[in-house]
Amino acid sequence: EQINQTRPVHILVIEDPIEFYFETKKARISQRQFRKDVFSVEQGINFAKKMDVDVLAIGDIKRDVPYKAILDYADGDNLVFLTMQTLGIQNTLEKILSAFPKADHDHACNLIASNLIGVCSQTLILNPGDDRMVPVHEILVLNNTIKGIIQKGRISQIDPNIRTAGEGSFLFETELGTLVREGKVSKEASEGFLAMYRGMKG
């Protein structure tokens, strides 16, 4: 929506289902429903190429995602937003890499390092005190240091080096620390989530 309000570009949104209908402002927006208007992400990418799309947004389509086709499209100097069912920076990047055969990992790491702008991961934590769901984020903004780590395929080294990432990068535990101090999330809820999350990463 921010791009819609500020830039005269063509945006293509692919979702399953379409959750919000955009009103055209500065941008021209095409919205396509997966399995109704387009039957594969590859078909949507081909449509984007033919229609001179500047921004491609792919919602959570609940199927095998052709990450190679998406990365190749982004490598053509196109802006792509991709929604994924993952938790955290490391899990998100590892899920993309896992879609490639081991022999292609070096190529995939180079594609990601060359084209990724950032990762934003969100979870909701129940605050027992007032029975509210509180959003908590983990954000990576790429700079040359993190690009080098990704190029070498050392995804697990991103978290320990988050302080050297681009300005605005932080882990769940950083934001949770702030939320606990502000009384928006209980210490117990924070510690419970972090224990679960660290267990997921092994």
Side-chain angles (χ1 to χ4, degrees), residues 124-172:
L124 296 172
I125 294 181
L126 178 66
N127 188 33
D130 52 15
D131 204 29
R132 283 187 309 117
M133 299 300 289
V134 180
V136 185
H137 303 90
E138 185 163 281
I139 294 177
L140 173 68
V141 181
L142 254 69
N143 62 9
N144 288 333
T145 301
I146 299 300
K147 283 182 181 180
I149 291 173
I150 294 174
Q151 279 179 324
K152 294 171 185 174
R154 298 173 179 171
I155 305 302
S156 62
Q157 292 184 10
I158 292 176
D159 284 12
N161 288 282
I162 198 71
R163 293 185 186 278
T164 65
E167 184 179 355
S169 299
F170 54 86
L171 301 177
F172 283 128

Side-chain angles (χ1 to χ4, degrees), residues 71-136:
L71 286 172
D72 286 343
Y73 181 70
D75 197 42
D77 201 25
N78 298 294
L79 179 59
V80 179
F81 292 90
L82 176 62
T83 304
M84 299 170 59
Q85 287 190 347
T86 52
L87 185 61
I89 297 163
Q90 180 177 325
N91 292 333
T92 299
L93 296 178
E94 286 178 345
K95 183 172 182 178
I96 294 173
L97 278 177
S98 70
F100 288 80
K102 198 165 186 178
D104 294 337
H105 271 206
D106 288 348
H107 176 62
C109 288
N110 281 319
L111 275 178
I112 295 169
S114 299
N115 295 287
L116 187 67
I117 297 171
V119 177
C120 175
S121 184
Q122 175 179 281
T123 189
L124 296 172
I125 294 181
L126 178 66
N127 188 33
D130 52 15
D131 204 29
R132 283 187 309 117
M133 299 300 289
V134 180
V136 185

Side-chain angles (χ1 to χ4, degrees), residues 1-2 4-5 13-25 29-33:
E1 179 58 21
Q2 185 180 38
N4 184 27
Q5 293 177 16
V13 182
I14 301 173
E15 291 182 278
D16 181 25
I18 294 174
E19 296 181 348
F20 179 84
Y21 286 91
F22 288 90
E23 176 186 342
T24 295
K25 293 168 186 170
I29 301 182
S30 303
Q31 294 185 254
R32 299 291 182 269
Q33 183 168 324

